[in-house]
Amino acid sequence: MRKPCCKEEESNKGCWSKQEDQKLMDYIKAHGEGRWRSIPHAAGLRRCGKSCRLRWLNYLKPGVKHGDFGEDEEDLIIRLHALLGNRWALIAGRLPGRTDNEVKNYWNCHIRKKLIHMGHDLNNLHGFRSSVLAPFKSIGPKINEVPECNINSFPDLNLDLTLGTSSEEKEALQD
DNA sequence: AATATCTTCAACCGCTACCCC
DNA sequence: TGGGGTAGCGGTTGAAGATAT
């Protein structure tokens, strides 16, 4: 039997209140991130460490963007997903200010539906990847060689697909 | 205006990777 | 080297808001 990460009766669940957010922010500003397990007690929060970590990373951390994704961000997510699969943390790492949770939600709610509506068969990963990654001729054959796309399969692939450089990246990849 | 249904997204859960002793 | 503790990740859930009837 796995030990629960925190005592059930001692922790709040559900949405965070403004007071809880403030306590967590104040504590992290004063002491920095890390040692999440000890943060709730030290900060006077009735939450488990995991919950604190998630709240900080997804919502409170300075620089986290909220709201609509731009077309360029959406395009990047689609291409990265075709390349990496459901590796949301990796994908989010290429989108400044976006979190894995937000990217995952956006994919599931918006992009997935949009692609299905456009006639893409998301169960047919091979076909989907081929069509999405068609502009990247140089890596196309490699992608088709691996059954499950793995970032480690492309040691020579520059994955610095940060926003604002997509056109340069396309050119570089086509060279 | 009331109710049902759908959509969105914050938060939780369970598993795995990693680190330290 | 392996065992325990912690952090991080991805899948899933459920509450709240939006929209349709």
Side-chain angles (χ1 to χ4, degrees):
Chain A
M1 184 75 175
R2 169 182 289 269
K3 272 197 290 183
C5 69
C6 50
K7 289 179 187 171
E8 189 106 358
E9 68 275 17
E10 285 179 9
S11 63
N12 288 345
K13 285 188 177 180
C15 292
W16 281 63
S17 66
K18 283 185 179 173
Q19 288 89 340
E20 286 179 309
D21 282 347
Q22 196 56 53
K23 277 185 183 177
L24 183 58
M25 276 198 291
D26 289 346
Y27 182 86
I28 291 177
K29 272 181 193 165
H31 301 94
E33 292 178 47
R35 282 178 287 172
W36 295 106
R37 210 175 161 86
S38 62
I39 281 183
H41 183 249
L45 289 161
R46 292 163 65 88
R47 294 276 180 176
C48 76
K50 273 184 167 186
S51 183
C52 292
R53 178 187 158 272
L54 206 67
R55 183 65 179 170
W56 172 253
L57 293 177
N58 287 336
Y59 211 82
L60 300 174
K61 192 174 181 173
V64 172
K65 275 197 251 175
H66 299 290
D68 290 345
F69 282 66
E71 267 185 43
D72 46 355
E73 286 179 301
E74 188 175 307
D75 179 58
L76 190 55
I77 292 170
I78 292 169
R79 285 191 284 126
L80 286 168
H81 186 272
L83 198 58
L84 304 170
N86 294 358
R87 296 167 70 173
W88 306 114
L90 265 180
I91 294 172
R94 306 283 160 183
L95 291 154
R98 299 296 187 183
T99 66
D100 56 348
N101 208 32
E102 203 171 12
V103 170
K104 180 172 60 180
N105 280 333
Y106 191 72
W107 174 270
N108 287 327
C109 284
H110 298 89
I111 301 177
R112 188 170 242 282
K113 283 179 190 169
K114 196 170 168 180
L115 291 173
I116 290 169
H117 186 72
M118 285 164 68
H120 288 290
D121 179 5
L122 296 180
N123 294 319
N124 176 6
L125 280 177
H126 244 231
F128 175 61
R129 280 182 192 132
S130 301
S131 58
V132 168
L133 296 168
F136 308 96
K137 290 176 196 163
S138 63
I139 61 170
K142 285 189 181 178
I143 287 166
N144 290 332
E145 283 165 17
V146 284
E148 186 51 49
C149 225
N150 184 332
I151 192 169
N152 298 321
S153 305
F154 309 104
D156 56 338
L157 176 60
N158 176 11
L159 269 175
D160 187 21
L161 295 168
T162 46
L163 283 174
T165 58
S166 55
S167 56
E168 292 99 328
E169 286 297 332
K170 282 183 187 176
E171 282 169 21
L173 286 166
Q174 279 173 330
D175 281 342

